[in-house]
Amino acid sequence: MSQPLVPDLFATCKVLTGAILWVVQQILLALGAVIPPLKDLGNWLASDPVVSAVTWLVVMTVMLLWAVLINLLTMMWVERKFYSRLQDRYGIMVSIWSLPIWPFNRKDRPTHKGWGYLQNVADGMKLLQKENLTPRGADSAMFHMAPVLIASSTLMIFVALPWSSGFVVAKPDLSLLFILAAFSIAPFGILIAGWSANNKYTLVGGMRAAAQLMAYEIPLILCVIALVFTTGSLDVYEIVAQQERTLVTLGPLAIPAWNLFGPQALGAVVFAVAMMAEMERIPFDIPEAEAELVEGWTTEYSGMRFGLLFGFKWLRMIAGAGLISILYLGGWTGPVFTVVQVAGIPVPIIPEEVWFMLRVYLLSVVFIWISWSVPRIRIDQILQLGWKRLIPLSLLAILLAAGASLVGW
Amino acid sequence: MPGFWINMGPQHPMTHGLWNMKVKIDGETITDAKPEIGYLHRGYEKIMEVREFQKNVVLTDRLCYVSSLTWSHAYCLAAEKMMGLEVPVRGQWIRVLALEIQRVASHLMWLAAYGPDLGLLTALLWALRERELWLDLLQLLTGARMNQNYPRIGGVRNDLPENFDGMCRRVITHFEGKLDEYEKLLHDSKIFHLRTLGVGRISAEDAINWGVTGPNLRACGVNVDLRRLDPYETYDELDFEAQVWKGSSAGDSYARFVCRFNEMRTSCDIILQVLEKMPTSGAYRTKEPRRAEGDGFARTEDSRGEALFYILGDGDDRPYRVKIRSPIFCSMAATPLMLRGNKLADLVAILGSIDVCVGEMDK
């Protein structure tokens, strides 16, 4: 079984923070010879409660940078690359060559080479420079609050969503409940955004989000209830630990005991479909529906506020794919091939983080693939799908799970 | 509940041009609709009165920016009838060839626009990818990708380029495989059926009364194709069937989609037939008179319906009066009938399926 690369994020960060604060303490103690109160300040800064409190901030910042700066940008890049290939586009392979500080001869720049990774950074830069408009007659406070609500609630998911058994901010006992609760805050932000912008397109989009909410949140939660019959726990570590054993061995292949293989299979499918609606990807992105509602509930946002709303959809996709892999695909478990010693510390090759991200990115590519190959469905059709198909199916999944736990499967 | 009016246009992703569809919605249901056009009105019929006959070909090219060749051809046909000109046989065949290439290119543009209307951007890029090939053919033949200025009163501007038939055949072989690909992407998709079946229905009687023509009328089950009914050029020597919807659910978006889509296959067939039956050499243009008197009336099967030109000459070198009948102008008047009672999201599925071209609608 594989090992985490970061065994304990909090402890790692605490060592670093403690070291920095110790240096500050020494400086302040030296200065204290001249100004005595600084001595007390230095000692207070290096005390354990203060170090712990500062470490919390550092841990959250590390997770934010990891999720947003690295994974969000990579996921956007993956999506753009993927659908460009799907659609035979020429396209965004040129951005790295068009940097203003391109060091080589500008005339020799090949135009169809490069990775295009910086395209999203360039788009973000552009959005930062744009004016932030507030439409006349908009409810200004609500209008400005909605992006904050959506962005912060999306980041809140990553407080409890682990990337490995060690790489996580906090480990609450009911972490699954916390993640699902954080997930379902954003639709209220959408409703507020749609209502406050004083625009008919956003109003219709916001109302659609509110109507759609019930249709996919209920099957989502029902599937989790079905899962709890098997796991008996709402703690994601417990759920992943249960999937770590081997179910059956077929020759050289050891099939792991993932929740997907077993009575939870139906629940997994329903959960994935409902999660796709939760992420607002194309068959279900009716609150946005750019064909008839211009840009839906984000129509009136401009500049980086729009960028936040636009970009955080990918962050929600990462979180959704991560949740699916934790619940049904064994989370971060995987074989470890070898462990090398770097300065006496054992470093696993292919650690848990890599196994987890492999699942997250593969699942996301599947979602991207689906969303670029089907048209968008209508609001009444998603309500029908949710209420008449997904909810009965998730109830059936509960029945299956209950029956399976009765016979001790 | 009273509901409220929403402007879908003039600046809106749905419009495909510069016009405005006002819809009254009650919740998500459309209760009333009012098309507002005229944003692109250029006064074509008046401008044509002050330009010489041959120079008007350039103008009529710009009537529809997606299907310009069919419009300049319709004008030339009317002018020839007024002057009593007989176009040489090879000229007529070349015209049919160019018209059908233009029709496929125009239908591909419609397909490209219909995909993103339903939220499927992939269809846009795939259809435009193959449209390039057809535009390349047009460029070979006429020298331009759009606004070709190719038909002349009395024939066409130039002969076929070398090895043109081989290139046409190559494009068609490639294109027919790609048509199957589009079918898998759109036609075979369950969500596509959900979005289009039974949406925006109009009965055959209503369609005829409101003057809907072309693929939109044939989707109602009415077999009206001017290439068969009132053949012009050499269409009477060709063997093809007009695409008429025969199944249930006539007159909805799905029927319109299927009719228009299959028309691309028909056009490919026609092109292959033209290449076989066309005389390999001969004159393709006659000299036209500078001045003319009398009236000329011509109607053709445009990509979007029945295009009609009526020209009056008073012995001068320019028309005295010109009347243009635009098919989309009439179809647009019938859209409130199709829209009422449908959902707001169906608006794009309906208006996309009737293939709006604002250039010819506003004239």
Side-chain angles (χ1 to χ4, degrees):
Chain A
M1 287 300 153
S2 63
Q3 302 292 316
L5 192 64
V6 184
D8 191 344
L9 187 62
F10 187 80
T12 315
C13 289
K14 195 166 179 180
V15 171
L16 288 173
T17 320
I20 292 167
L21 285 179
W22 182 82
V23 172
V24 174
Q25 183 197 20
Q26 297 309 311
I27 293 169
L28 287 176
L29 287 180
L31 287 175
V34 187
I35 312 162
L38 285 182
K39 258 183 195 169
D40 294 342
L41 181 66
N43 288 331
W44 179 76
L45 274 178
S47 64
D48 189 60
V50 177
V51 173
S52 291
V54 174
T55 310
W56 276 117
L57 293 176
V58 172
V59 167
M60 280 188 275
T61 314
V62 166
M63 183 55 83
L64 194 145
L65 293 181
W66 165 251
V68 176
L69 265 190
I70 297 174
N71 278 294
L72 173 63
L73 286 177
T74 311
M75 188 58 84
M76 288 171 95
W77 176 74
V78 166
E79 160 136 23
R80 297 178 92 156
K81 278 297 202 193
F82 188 83
Y83 71 65
S84 303
R85 297 288 176 215
L86 195 76
Q87 300 175 341
D88 274 356
R89 288 193 188 202
Y90 306 110
I92 54 163
M93 292 98 118
V94 295
S95 65
I96 194 165
W97 305 94
S98 52
L99 283 178
I101 48 164
W102 180 242
F104 308 115
N105 186 357
R106 293 179 73 89
K107 281 179 190 163
D108 294 346
R109 281 185 312 191
T111 47
H112 281 83
K113 284 185 182 172
W115 291 63
Y117 191 83
L118 294 182
Q119 180 68 46
N120 295 317
V121 182
D123 287 351
M125 290 294 197
K126 183 197 74 179
L127 285 172
L128 274 175
Q129 295 165 32
K130 297 237 170 190
E131 190 184 353
N132 251 326
L133 295 167
T134 307
R136 189 181 299 146
D139 185 343
S140 183
M142 295 305 243
F143 185 75
H144 291 131
M145 201 191 76
V148 178
L149 191 66
I150 291 165
S152 58
S153 73
T154 309
L155 284 175
M156 226 159 88
I157 301 169
F158 287 91
V159 171
L161 188 84
W163 294 77
S164 76
S165 55
F167 194 11
V168 65
V169 177
K171 295 183 176 181
D173 287 341
L174 298 174
S175 43
L176 181 55
L177 210 58
F178 181 86
I179 292 169
L180 288 171
F183 242 119
S184 46
I185 295 174
F188 296 106
I190 296 177
L191 181 60
I192 291 171
W195 188 271
S196 63
N198 191 27
N199 179 316
K200 289 172 183 174
Y201 302 131
T202 62
L203 178 64
V204 174
M207 287 298 135
R208 282 181 179 187
Q212 192 190 354
L213 172 71
M214 287 291 164
Y216 63 80
E217 284 285 352
I218 292 174
L220 201 73
I221 304 296
L222 287 178
C223 288
V224 171
I225 290 174
L227 189 78
V228 170
F229 268 106
T230 312
T231 62
S233 168
L234 280 170
D235 184 1
V236 288
Y237 297 94
E238 181 65 29
I239 293 172
V240 172
Q242 286 171 4
Q243 300 177 58
E244 209 159 2
R245 66 204 158 78
T246 306
L247 188 67
V248 64
T249 314
L250 296 171
L253 271 178
I255 305 291
W258 292 353
N259 283 329
L260 180 66
F261 309 131
Q264 296 297 332
L266 178 64
V269 174
V270 175
F271 190 85
V273 173
M275 197 40 106
M276 207 151 168
E278 178 88 57
M279 311 172 199
E280 280 191 31
R281 291 209 66 84
I282 261 198
F284 306 120
D285 79 331
I286 38 186
E288 203 177 296
E290 78 276 351
E292 67 260 23
L293 294 182
V294 188
E295 199 49 46
W297 56 280
T298 55
T299 304
E300 290 290 356
Y301 286 101
S302 57
M304 203 52 208
R305 241 178 229 121
F306 170 74
L308 269 184
L309 297 174
F310 190 69
F312 270 52
K313 275 197 302 190
W314 279 276
L315 211 54
R316 291 173 75 75
M317 184 163 85
I318 295 171
L323 196 55
I324 293 174
S325 34
I326 284 172
L327 295 186
Y328 296 103
L329 298 175
W332 48 81
T333 60
V336 64
F337 291 121
T338 178
V339 174
V340 289
Q341 299 285 329
V342 178
I345 304 163
V347 175
I349 299 294
I350 314 193
E352 286 179 352
E353 283 84 357
V354 174
W355 286 117
F356 185 70
M357 280 170 68
L358 198 68
R359 287 185 179 87
V360 167
Y361 278 83
L362 280 178
L363 264 177
S364 302
V365 164
V366 172
F367 286 135
I368 292 166
W369 196 344
I370 294 173
S371 67
W372 289 100
S373 351
V374 290
R376 178 186 300 116
I377 70 173
R378 228 162 47 202
I379 178 72
D380 55 326
Q381 286 160 349
I382 193 180
L383 295 183
Q384 285 197 4
L385 181 81
W387 288 101
K388 292 186 184 167
R389 303 279 161 78
L390 291 185
I391 290 180
L393 280 176
S394 51
L395 289 173
L396 188 65
I398 291 182
L399 193 68
L400 279 175
S405 66
L406 205 63
V407 299
W409 189 6
Chain B
M1 187 178 155
F4 56 85
W5 287 92
I6 284 192
N7 280 327
M8 294 281 180
Q11 295 283 335
H12 193 279
M14 179 276 294
T15 51
H16 310 318
L18 203 59
W19 61 287
N20 185 8
M21 176 59 102
K22 283 173 138 187
V23 287
K24 191 180 188 187
I25 57 168
D26 178 5
E28 283 275 337
T29 313
I30 297 172
T31 51
D32 202 359
K34 209 194 281 177
E36 264 186 13
I37 62 168
Y39 291 92
L40 204 61
H41 181 61
R42 292 148 293 174
Y44 256 84
E45 290 163 348
K46 194 68 190 168
I47 300 175
M48 286 171 77
E49 291 172 14
V50 297
R51 292 166 70 99
E52 288 153 32
F53 286 119
Q54 200 69 272
K55 285 182 181 170
N56 276 334
V57 177
V58 186
L59 259 187
T60 45
D61 257 340
R62 275 118 182 113
L63 260 173
C64 175
Y65 35 78
V66 190
S67 172
S68 44
L69 213 149
T70 55
W71 280 95
S72 44
H73 165 259
Y75 165 74
C76 288
L77 211 61
E80 282 153 12
K81 282 194 181 164
M82 178 182 67
M83 296 168 180
L85 275 183
E86 185 68 30
V87 180
V89 181
R90 186 168 156 82
Q92 293 190 14
W93 281 109
I94 293 176
R95 276 184 177 184
V96 173
L97 184 64
L99 284 177
E100 293 305 320
I101 294 175
Q102 178 68 80
R103 192 185 308 277
V104 178
S106 165
H107 282 359
L108 277 176
M109 191 66 228
W110 155 79
L111 187 69
Y114 199 39
D117 276 350
L118 298 175
L120 183 56
L121 203 66
T122 309
L124 171 97
L125 286 132
W126 283 14
L128 288 184
R129 179 185 66 193
E130 265 69 62
R131 187 168 173 263
E132 283 301 304
L133 297 174
W134 292 98
L135 290 185
D136 284 350
L137 281 185
L138 276 180
Q139 195 176 1
L140 267 177
L141 182 63
T142 68
R145 286 157 59 88
M146 60 186 285
N147 301 335
Q148 288 92 352
N149 189 17
Y150 184 60
R152 286 280 178 272
I153 299 172
V156 290
R157 194 181 65 214
N158 56 281
D159 204 351
L160 294 185
E162 244 175 74
N163 193 26
F164 191 67
D165 56 337
M167 289 184 199
C168 282
R169 287 202 177 91
R170 231 178 108 190
V171 167
I172 286 171
T173 317
H174 174 79
F175 181 64
E176 279 177 341
K178 293 293 176 188
L179 273 175
D180 298 338
E181 215 173 77
Y182 303 153
E183 263 197 345
K184 277 180 200 142
L185 183 70
L186 288 163
H187 197 267
D188 296 355
S189 158
K190 171 80 180 162
I191 297 181
F192 182 77
H193 285 223
L194 280 175
R195 285 302 305 276
T196 52
L197 262 178
V199 165
R201 292 185 88 147
I202 186 165
S203 66
E205 290 78 33
D206 278 339
I208 291 170
N209 286 343
W210 283 87
V212 178
T213 46
N216 301 335
L217 181 60
R218 289 198 286 280
C220 301
V222 184
N223 191 355
V224 175
D225 188 334
L226 291 180
R227 292 175 294 176
R228 300 270 77 178
L229 221 80
D230 182 12
Y232 47 96
E233 309 295 0
T234 55
Y235 274 114
D236 48 347
E237 292 173 41
L238 292 164
D239 175 36
F240 68 95
E241 287 266 316
Q243 292 292 343
V244 184
W245 180 254
K246 294 190 186 71
S248 58
S249 83
D252 63 358
S253 287
Y254 183 72
R256 283 191 285 271
F257 172 85
V258 172
C259 279
R260 218 180 277 274
F261 190 87
N262 288 338
E263 223 164 69
M264 288 195 270
R265 290 186 201 280
T266 315
S267 289
C268 287
D269 278 354
I270 294 176
I271 291 170
L272 289 177
Q273 284 183 44
V274 169
L275 292 175
E276 299 227 330
K277 295 184 179 172
M278 188 191 246
T280 48
S281 59
Y284 52 85
R285 187 178 174 183
T286 51
K287 187 91 181 83
E288 81 282 3
R290 196 172 157 75
R291 296 164 195 282
E293 196 168 1
D295 63 338
F297 168 90
R299 50 180 193 158
T300 61
E301 185 68 24
D302 186 59
S303 318
R304 290 167 182 74
E306 184 181 322
L308 185 150
F309 265 91
Y310 182 61
I311 305 177
L312 223 60
D314 61 350
D316 201 356
D317 58 351
R318 48 203 78 189
Y320 175 72
R321 176 83 178 87
V322 179
K323 161 73 191 159
I324 307 171
R325 184 225 191 251
S326 153
I328 286 305
F329 183 77
C330 301
S331 302
M332 187 53 67
T335 47
L337 282 182
M338 307 180 192
L339 286 172
R340 264 175 223 137
N342 284 300
K343 296 276 179 284
L344 182 63
D346 292 333
L347 180 94
V348 284
I350 296 165
L351 291 174
S353 70
I354 67 168
D355 193 7
V356 179
C357 177
V358 183
E360 61 165 88
M361 184 167 76
D362 279 352
K363 294 191 285 247

